[in-house]
């Protein structure tokens, strides 16, 4: 399916922070939060070099208006 590519790409990005064989029982919540923040602040070509966090902020502002 078309979703498989997105899933595999996301897995690859996550592997930058958590290599294979990572024991997530030993990973702190802060480390996971940092990885999430780093991924959401990463500009994406698909998003015209905007970040997911920026676009989410725009959407939330539009909904609040």
């Amino acid at each position: 399916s078309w979703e498989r590519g997105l899933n595999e790409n996301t897995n690859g990005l996550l592997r930058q922070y958590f290599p294979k064989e990572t024991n997530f029982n030993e990973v702190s919540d802060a480390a996971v939060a940092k990885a999430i923040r780093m991924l959401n602040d990463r500009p994406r070509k698909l998003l015209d070099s905007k970040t997911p966090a920026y676009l989410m902020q725009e959407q939330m502002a539009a909904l609040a208006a």
Side-chain angles (χ1 to χ4, degrees):
S1 89
W2 62 271
E3 295 172 341
R4 182 97 178 133
L6 177 62
N7 179 279
E8 292 300 325
N9 184 49
T10 303
N11 287 345
L13 294 173
L14 286 169
R15 291 276 176 239
Q16 294 175 3
Y17 303 98
F18 306 109
K20 283 189 177 185
E21 309 300 326
T22 297
N23 182 351
F24 283 96
N25 291 323
E26 298 175 0
V27 176
S28 69
D29 289 345
V32 172
K34 181 180 178 183
I36 291 169
R37 201 169 39 255
M38 296 292 285
L39 290 174
N40 283 330
D41 288 339
R42 180 185 179 128
R44 304 292 173 92
K45 183 178 180 181
L46 180 69
L47 302 176
D48 200 26
S49 296
K50 295 178 183 157
T51 67
Y54 174 79
L55 292 176
M56 179 60 84
Q57 218 171 19
E58 278 189 338
Q59 287 294 317
M60 296 303 285
L63 289 173

